[in-house]
Amino acid sequence: MNESHASTWHILGAGSLGCLWAVRLARAGVPLRLILRSPERLAAYRRAGGLTLVERGAARLYPLQAQTAAEPAPIRRLLLACKAYDAADAIAGLAPRLAAGAEVILLQNGLGSQDAVAARLPQARCILASSTEGAFRDGDFRVVFAGHGHTWLGDPQDLAPPTWLADLQRAGIVHDWSLDILARLWRKLALNCAINPLTVLYDCRNGGLLEHPAEVATLCEELAELLQRCGQPSAASALHDEVQRVIQATAANYSSMHQDVAQGRRTEIAYLLGHACAAAARHRLVLPHLTTLHQRLLRHLAARGLPSH
Ligand code: NAP
């Protein structure tokens, strides 16, 4: 057994990305345990017989071992695969089980949840991730692998790559160790802020924003100013060009925020546009279009009974 294999992976959250990671790691022979929300969810999982992953139209059941946070065994390696708004609470329930020097991989989109988690885990190394893979749930404990992509991982406090990247390699999880993961997360956040809220407000596919070029351009200017002020010049560089490229390349798609709102699901707004506006306020930076966009989006969500955080 090599070093990268010595530790069992624990994966909290058997949703879209949690399932994608769990199934591929298990197929590569990596020992792992899923951590589910409650005894009721564990019972439902056992009734389902495991996780089902649908790939290229074919569904396959994987009877992976699962437990709840109440299990006593220590955790040395944890993949936190819940939504950003669940991350701090989820980790609070697990913190007593984390061994000294444990490694926690944070898959959450946006920014803000990572700091909230790290503040609760002084004994652990937190590794941040940013992924372009796509998956969605089409039933309980059933996930469709919708789009192959790439995952960047990095640790702003310690640039040395962890040994378990070899597990990801064997599992076919396409990844790179990033020496500037914060720049990647900020860039993705800025792309999200320039595209997703407008698709919700105009109720359109990404391509619908081609009809609002001036609004998109002004948002990109303000976002680039914010990134500069936050010490992220590389994330600010040529932002508008990339936003336009993404709008063109994904013209037929509905953004993740649009899908969440259309299906009455809570969004991650507080970790995306909300985080951007809070950072601007902290730097006393006046960004009128971004602020108005945030207010319009909050009103839109409130009118549909969806939370603002
Ligand atoms: P998801 O499908 O909603 O899955 C989240 C899972 O976390 C759910 O199964 C939920 O349990 C579980 N969970 C929440 N709190 C928990 C707790 N305390 N204990 C145990 N389980 C808990 O979400 P996702 O789409 O995988 O997204 C995860 C993160 O990845 C998000 O930040 C998202 O933006 C990001 N991301 C997603 C994709 C994608 O294609 N899906 C792509 C890139 C990035 P229940 O089932 O009991 O509710």
Side-chain angles (χ1 to χ4, degrees), residues 100-121:
E103 293 163 301
V104 182
I105 302 141
L106 305 176
L107 276 185
Q108 288 64 44
N109 203 2
L111 281 162
S113 69
Q114 299 88 345
D115 283 348
V117 167
R120 289 172 186 260
L121 295 180

Side-chain angles (χ1 to χ4, degrees), residues 15-17 37 41 83 86 107 109 133-135 137 268:
S16 309
L17 284 197
R37 203 188 265 285
R41 291 296 287 152
K83 290 280 174 64
D86 280 329
L107 276 185
N109 203 2
E133 291 195 308
R137 299 203 260 183
E268 295 182 298

